[in-house]
Amino acid sequence: MARAAALAIALVLVALLPWIGTPTLVQFAINALLLATLAQGWNIIGGYTGYASFGNSVFYGLGTYGTAVAMTTYQLPFGVGLAIGAVLAVVFAIVLGIPVLRLRGHYFAIATLGLAQVMTAIVSNLEIAGRNVGIVMPLLKGDTLFLELSLALLVLATLAVWWISRSRFGYGLIAIRENEDAAQVMGVNVTMYKVLAFALAALFSSLAGGIHGYWITFVDPASAFDITLNVKMIIMAVFGGPGSVLGPVIGALLLSGVSEVLAAQITSLASVFFGMVIVIAVVFMPHGLADLARRFKRLGVRYFGENVRTNRL
Amino acid sequence: MDLLWQIFANGLLLGGLYALMALGLALVWGVLNIVNLAHGALIMLGAYVCYYAFTLAGIDPFAGLVLSAVVLFCLGYAIQRFILNLVARAPMFNTLLITFGIEVVLTYLAQIFFSADFRTINPPYAGNFISIAGAAIPTVRLAAFAVALALTFALWLVLLHTRLGRAIRATAQNLVAARLYGVEPRHLYALTFGLGAALAGAAGGLYGVVSQINPYIGATLTAKCFVIAIIGGLQNPLGVVVGGLVLGLVESLTGLYIGSTYIDVASFGILVLVLIFRPTGLLGKAA
Amino acid sequence: MRFKQMGLQSLVGAFLLVGAAHAQTVVLGASVQMTGATANTGRYYRDGYQFAVERINAKGGVKLGGKQQKLELKLLDNQSDVNLSVRQYVQLVSQDKVNLLLGPFASDFALADSSIAEKYEIPMVQGGGASDQIFSRGYKYVFGTLPAATLYFESTIEAMGKLNPVPRTVALLYADDAFDVSVAKGTRDLVGKAGLKVVIDERYSSNASDFSPLLSRIRSVNPDAVLVAGHETEVLNFIRQAKSLNVSPKMYSFTVGVPTADFRKALGPDANYAFGMTSWLPLAAHKDEYFGDAETFAKEYKTKLGYEPDYHVASAVADVEALVKAMEAAGGADPKKVRDALAKIDFPSLYGRVRFNQVGQISLPQTMIQVQNGTVVPIYAGNGFIGKPLYPMPAWNKR
């Protein structure tokens, strides 16, 4: 109960940021919230279903471009643009998901990586998308709309994950993650569940992309389909705790904060630091913060040693 | 016809270099089951070693290759021994993440120490070419092609006909059995990774003569190497050569007939298609 | 906890800076590429801005309302990342509360960053983006000191019509980014009007490192002239690979690289015969209030920074001078007044005559230049030859 109250207060505070915080803080918040949404989206396909997708950036990009083209070439309003971007992404998720989700483990990861590169290359050749030069969006002064939208999207994504964690669908996904063949034998419609998870991830990623595109007022293939974005969302989800409801959100907000502070201070050293954090985290706390929080009480510092001992050669 | 032959020749030469770049990645992947996202960064470092050997000590790049290979071997050994060995039995995904972290660290350290400026290794013979049946064949690319084939052959020999090679293959197939035979896996893993890194280093030196280097080339090179390794299959080094040549030809022909902005569509499109329809690669046995 | 401390420190630092800024100095803010893929040119802007601000302050600073105020520069490194650069401009405007903005290098950066200037209504003078996209959005707060991308090859094409033998066929190659696509668009028109035939019209991926397919096609089609719109590293690759594939048209011309010293150093004798263009030459005829004239400026710059300045540096200096002049005309640093002053400004500088048209872009002719024996020789400007071009280009093995 106390936890729910704390969450509610946090939500209200964030929603009020445009009035109680500085513009830089609002800007940081929008970025962090969108990243957290992406991490949650990845959580559905990577954390719960166990399919580590490097292709969520494709859906993000499709959302960005869908919105951009709808608003500039067809003069449609923002809401319609977002919807079009989302539909585009979900359709792609289903159509591409069916063949690609047949692959397991790292083959799936690489296939999605390949898809991301293909999409970037295809879009940079499409005339309607402005090719590699990109599209300039109409300018909307003020960040309030974007902050509230990003917050609402994150809440929606987290609620979806919360519902998944309690539903038969969610148990089916976890079964797929733990032992796909056994799950199939037990009657889980493995293909449909996987594609559905993929489509849900696509939905949230594309909406995040659409919001970001309009906010930044400029979209181009390199930043819309950015692979490092995909890796960032994975790291945040994994750092926070894949397969948990709030883990990815906390991971995203924490890492965004650290990254922002470091970037303001010393630039390349910040990136080196980020890389080292990843290495250290994967070695000493591969199950994320959520797991760390749970088991640290029992094991203390030995928790880290445990992780290394289980995984070393 | 002349143009087609030139394009074909370009593709083959490019393919040879590609094959060498991917060799290390395929070795480590096929044998240790480690998907190394930092592979491109290793190539980049090899290029810088060769560059500084050339500009500071006047060492010819083809000799500098050896230096690159040695330095990168040591680095690779250390990375595997002290970092990657710690997650060797974790899910494969963790290795992906950790190698990504290593890639970031190497890239930004390179930027801090070498600056972001673009460099080329420019020996006096860099612009020479010979004419074969009407096509201009740049001599440096031809030499790189020859070196690539030679190293691939050497690797094949080592894997199949030396004790070390047998130990490596045994460890790949059955870790427990290999242990029973007295193989020390931590050292062997590190040795294998070091070997992969050495190959990457040599490829980097050649890359620096043929193209430009800067700290950020790692990511794109890794992506290209993935395509090659997947196309060729991970079963044996010959597959990587085939993969490299196929990719080189595809890129060259796409550049001519469709347009050079479509080259990435072709390369990565092939990656996705091969994965979906024939994941063990063009040379591998069907799953 | 350490992060909270660092955050607190930077917040306090920001407040102090804000306080200081309002007290005695005028703060100019910019996010430039000091590290990262485009840093080798981005740094010219950092150096240019710093050199200009130092000199202007040495001469007393900016005269506002009877008082002399010093200029202060707040530069951030965007690591060649457009998204970071956008966020940094927001930080400069809203947190650091700079008075006025200077621009980044490159059209794609200028395109994205200028939206921030427009959004927050703070004037930005940028000398790094020439693409017509930047100036076709109806923005009021953005001004540019690089002349229109579409006209980059204008003087070259005019000169081509007067060469002997006249080149009849042209190959047009351009990179896939805002600036070069703009250049190609304009060049196509110019070539058409001059009665020349475009036999190859190819777009290539930005940051391409392998030009073999294109060069092979050029060798096979054999156009008289090759015009390349790209960035420095691409042009370097192109020339090197042209040599190793034995491609040698009667002439080739590049939008970047040729005026820059480290380009010529990197290529050595292979740079000879290459044509290019520049909107600026260090001539004594360009008089300047703070530096005397362009020739003196170039000498002092080289002494202090160790390399010869090119048009990027001169453009950056012009940006700072434009802001200073506009503030003096407006009698203060009020954004709206400075913006109005910028729209009407007209003064001579080491960069040439600084004056913006109705979309905010400067209009300066490009001088056609050529590398001859390792030095840059101006060839064609105005309406006639001012130097002798070495044409046609000899084959590689006959150099």
Side-chain angles (χ1 to χ4, degrees):
Chain A
M1 211 47 238
R3 218 151 143 239
L7 266 176
I9 295 177
L11 278 178
V12 170
L13 277 178
V14 174
L16 290 177
L17 263 181
W19 295 276
I20 59 177
T22 66
T24 326
L25 193 57
V26 171
Q27 201 194 201
F28 164 73
I30 296 176
N31 264 313
L33 289 170
L34 288 176
L35 270 171
T37 306
L38 287 172
Q40 276 292 32
W42 187 86
N43 194 17
I44 299 175
I45 183 73
Y48 279 88
T49 320
Y51 272 76
S53 159
F54 275 78
N56 282 30
S57 48
V58 173
F59 307 128
Y60 178 83
L62 284 172
T64 312
Y65 268 95
T67 314
V69 174
M71 289 181 73
T72 49
T73 316
Y74 298 106
Q75 313 289 325
L76 295 166
F78 182 39
V80 177
L82 275 181
I84 292 181
V87 166
L88 201 59
V90 170
V91 166
F92 263 82
I94 297 176
V95 167
L96 290 173
I98 296 178
V100 166
L101 284 161
R102 287 187 304 148
L103 299 165
R104 301 280 182 99
H106 52 278
Y107 285 112
F108 173 73
I110 293 167
T112 49
L113 195 77
L115 272 180
Q117 299 283 70
V118 174
M119 279 316 295
T120 317
I122 290 180
V123 169
S124 70
N125 279 303
L126 285 179
E127 201 62 56
I128 196 176
R131 302 187 76 165
N132 203 37
V133 177
I135 301 180
V136 180
M137 308 279 278
L139 186 67
L140 178 71
K141 301 205 179 184
D143 285 338
T144 315
L145 173 69
F146 298 111
L147 181 75
E148 307 305 341
L149 270 180
S150 310
L151 184 62
L153 185 61
L154 178 62
V155 169
L156 205 65
T158 309
L159 282 175
V161 173
W162 180 78
W163 170 78
I164 287 177
S165 68
R166 281 170 163 60
S167 69
R168 218 174 71 144
F169 176 57
Y171 292 140
L173 292 180
I174 295 176
I176 294 175
R177 179 184 77 205
E178 297 301 321
N179 190 331
E180 184 161 345
D181 298 316
Q184 189 151 34
V185 163
M186 291 208 303
V188 174
N189 187 340
V190 168
T191 310
M192 193 179 80
Y193 273 45
K194 286 192 291 191
V195 173
L196 212 56
F198 207 36
L200 268 174
L203 177 66
F204 293 115
S205 304
S206 64
L207 289 172
I211 295 175
H212 187 261
Y214 191 24
W215 180 53
I216 283 268
T217 58
F218 180 64
V219 310
D220 76 336
S223 50
F225 293 99
D226 192 5
I227 281 283
T228 48
L229 190 66
N230 208 124
V231 182
K232 266 194 198 153
M233 69 172 100
I234 294 179
I235 290 173
M236 289 171 180
V238 170
F239 187 72
S244 71
V245 177
L246 284 179
V249 178
I250 297 177
L253 293 177
L254 244 162
L255 286 178
S256 289
V258 170
S259 174
E260 196 73 16
V261 171
L262 287 177
Q265 304 281 334
I266 6 107
T267 44
S268 328
L269 227 44
S271 303
V272 174
F273 180 80
F274 198 67
M276 292 204 290
V277 165
I278 297 173
V279 173
I280 294 173
V282 173
V283 171
F284 291 109
M285 37 173 284
H287 301 288
L289 279 178
D291 190 72
L292 171 66
R294 244 183 308 129
R295 290 174 42 193
F296 194 76
K297 286 179 257 174
R298 244 192 324 124
L299 291 172
V301 191
R302 283 186 305 141
Y303 171 75
F304 299 115
E306 269 303 309
N307 281 322
V308 178
R309 216 181 330 252
T310 349
N311 291 320
R312 75 182 330 174
L313 190 58
Chain B
M1 200 53 224
D2 225 9
L3 177 59
L4 189 56
W5 162 231
Q6 174 77 61
I7 294 284
F8 197 75
N10 293 342
L12 281 182
L13 293 176
L14 191 61
L17 184 59
Y18 276 173
L20 182 61
M21 290 199 305
L23 211 53
L25 179 78
L27 174 70
V28 161
W29 190 346
V31 169
L32 302 181
N33 214 20
I34 288 180
V35 180
N36 182 11
L37 287 179
H39 184 78
L42 296 173
I43 298 179
M44 176 267 293
L45 286 176
Y48 272 104
V49 169
C50 208
Y51 170 79
Y52 280 111
F54 178 71
T55 36
L56 296 177
I59 300 179
D60 181 272
F62 282 91
L65 282 191
V66 177
L67 185 62
S68 287
V70 168
V71 170
L72 266 294
F73 175 83
C74 299
L75 181 64
Y77 187 95
I79 290 179
Q80 178 71 41
R81 188 78 196 245
F82 302 117
I83 304 180
L84 293 178
N85 271 354
L86 293 176
V87 295
R89 287 189 298 145
M92 155 75 76
F93 180 62
N94 293 27
T95 328
L96 274 175
L97 282 186
I98 228 184
T99 50
F100 175 75
I102 295 176
E103 200 257 341
V104 170
V105 172
L106 291 177
T107 302
Y108 286 93
L109 279 179
Q111 192 214 266
I112 291 175
F113 286 110
F114 305 136
S115 94
D117 294 343
F118 285 67
R119 319 244 187 217
T120 334
I121 306 176
N122 210 16
Y125 50 81
N128 296 356
F129 63 92
I130 57 177
S131 230
I132 298 185
I137 310 281
T139 41
V140 173
R141 292 207 183 200
L142 188 60
F145 183 77
V147 170
L149 287 186
L151 283 176
T152 310
F153 186 64
L155 181 68
W156 179 77
L157 275 180
V158 165
L159 281 180
L160 258 56
H161 295 292
T162 64
R163 231 171 55 129
L164 174 65
R166 277 196 285 268
I168 290 177
R169 282 185 297 133
T171 313
Q173 281 166 4
N174 193 328
L175 186 59
V176 174
R179 264 209 174 97
L180 289 176
Y181 271 87
V183 168
E184 218 289 85
R186 279 183 288 206
H187 171 66
L188 201 70
Y189 267 44
L191 211 62
T192 314
F193 194 84
L195 200 56
L199 289 167
L206 287 174
Y207 184 81
V209 187
V210 161
S211 182
Q212 304 217 318
I213 50 179
N214 69 69
Y216 309 97
I217 53 177
T220 342
L221 288 178
T222 309
K224 282 252 153 70
C225 291
F226 270 117
V227 180
I228 299 163
I230 294 278
I231 294 179
L234 300 166
Q235 267 71 17
N236 75 60
L238 191 60
V240 179
V241 173
V242 171
L245 292 176
V246 167
L247 185 64
L249 282 170
V250 165
E251 289 195 348
S252 209
L253 290 167
T254 310
L256 177 66
Y257 287 117
I258 306 182
S260 57
T261 49
Y262 289 90
I263 290 180
D264 277 353
V265 178
S267 339
F268 294 106
I270 292 191
L271 172 69
V272 176
L273 289 173
V274 169
L275 275 173
I276 292 179
F277 294 111
R278 208 180 156 80
T280 48
L282 295 179
L283 277 203
K285 307 180 217 11
Chain C
M1 283 309 112
R2 280 209 60 212
F3 299 130
K4 259 206 204 152
Q5 257 183 351
M6 282 164 91
L8 210 57
Q9 274 176 358
S10 55
L11 215 58
V12 171
F15 279 133
L16 284 179
L17 188 63
V18 165
H22 281 311
Q24 322 114 309
T25 62
V26 173
V27 187
L28 305 178
S31 162
V32 292
Q33 295 92 319
M34 298 192 232
T35 57
T38 37
N40 44 0
T41 317
R43 284 195 291 261
Y44 295 162
Y45 287 85
R46 176 199 62 190
D47 294 342
Y49 292 153
Q50 281 170 346
F51 197 64
V53 166
E54 269 165 31
R55 175 59 61 94
I56 295 178
N57 280 344
K59 294 226 171 216
V62 66
K63 304 181 215 25
L64 293 180
K67 278 194 306 181
Q68 298 274 81
Q69 281 197 10
K70 291 273 188 254
L71 285 176
E72 196 183 311
L73 204 52
K74 176 125 180 87
L75 289 181
L76 297 175
D77 176 13
N78 59 36
Q79 303 176 45
S80 301
D81 176 351
V82 183
N83 284 314
L84 181 58
S85 144
V86 171
R87 295 211 300 274
Q88 286 178 337
Y89 272 101
V90 175
Q91 181 193 318
L92 285 168
V93 167
S94 57
Q95 182 178 299
D96 300 325
K97 301 234 187 297
V98 301
N99 297 99
L100 299 165
L101 296 173
L102 292 164
F105 165 59
S107 289
D108 45 345
F109 281 74
L111 201 54
D113 296 338
S114 51
S115 293
I116 303 300
E118 188 74 9
K119 200 162 166 171
Y120 288 85
E121 294 177 344
I122 307 267
M124 172 193 277
V125 182
Q126 56 90 13
S131 160
D132 55 353
Q133 257 194 326
I134 301 174
F135 300 98
S136 57
R137 296 171 294 177
Y139 282 10
K140 298 256 168 297
Y141 281 83
V142 179
F143 298 86
T145 50
L146 281 188
T150 44
L151 296 174
Y152 262 57
F153 276 111
E154 189 177 31
S155 52
T156 308
I157 293 174
E158 231 179 80
M160 274 163 64
K162 302 182 183 163
L163 290 171
N164 182 21
V166 175
R168 293 239 172 270
T169 50
V170 171
L172 177 62
L173 305 177
Y174 57 105
D176 207 3
D177 62 78
F179 168 67
D180 299 302
V181 169
S182 255
V183 171
K185 200 170 80 166
T187 308
R188 249 179 240 118
D189 288 338
L190 292 168
V191 169
K193 286 203 194 91
L196 302 168
K197 189 159 172 306
V198 178
V199 292
I200 297 180
D201 187 341
E202 269 291 319
R203 186 170 185 143
Y204 64 85
S205 290
S206 264
N207 303 312
S209 57
D210 188 36
F211 287 93
S212 318
L214 283 172
L215 283 165
S216 306
R217 258 187 85 195
I218 291 174
R219 214 165 71 113
S220 146
V221 169
N222 204 13
D224 295 324
V226 175
L227 305 177
V228 181
H231 290 284
E232 196 165 314
T233 41
E234 296 154 17
V235 173
L236 268 169
N237 274 332
F238 183 88
I239 295 183
R240 283 209 172 95
Q241 289 169 19
K243 181 175 178 189
S244 69
L245 283 170
N246 197 21
V247 175
S248 189
K250 292 202 182 71
M251 64 168 275
Y252 50 28
S253 180
F254 306 94
T255 48
V256 293
V258 173
T260 325
D262 56 53
F263 171 88
R264 299 192 301 270
K265 199 171 88 167
L267 283 175
D270 293 340
N272 286 333
Y273 300 99
F275 286 100
M277 71 285 291
T278 177
S279 53
W280 176 77
L281 286 167
L283 304 170
H286 293 309
K287 300 276 179 247
D288 185 277
E289 181 180 329
Y290 302 101
F291 291 94
D293 59 60
E295 196 177 350
T296 322
F297 159 77
K299 283 206 194 80
E300 290 171 355
Y301 189 90
K302 170 131 194 228
T303 313
K304 174 123 197 261
L305 283 134
Y307 63 89
E308 281 159 29
D310 67 357
Y311 69 90
H312 296 115
V313 175
S315 177
V317 171
D319 295 344
V320 178
E321 290 195 16
L323 282 177
V324 167
K325 291 276 186 217
M327 280 192 281
E328 291 181 347
D334 172 71
K336 287 206 172 55
K337 293 212 184 92
V338 171
R339 183 229 95 82
D340 291 336
L342 278 169
K344 296 204 275 289
I345 213 155
D346 188 349
F347 68 95
S349 76
L350 58 86
Y351 183 59
R353 183 172 176 193
V354 179
R355 178 178 55 158
F356 303 111
N357 62 17
Q358 59 296 38
V359 297
Q361 199 170 23
I362 206 174
S363 174
L364 288 173
Q366 297 280 358
T367 304
M368 179 191 192
I369 52 181
Q370 188 182 29
V371 180
Q372 297 180 354
N373 289 316
T375 47
V376 170
V377 177
I379 302 288
Y380 189 93
N383 279 311
F385 283 98
I386 51 180
K388 186 168 182 329
L390 293 176
Y391 169 88
M393 193 164 74
W396 286 102
N397 53 8
K398 293 200 179 62
R399 292 200 185 189

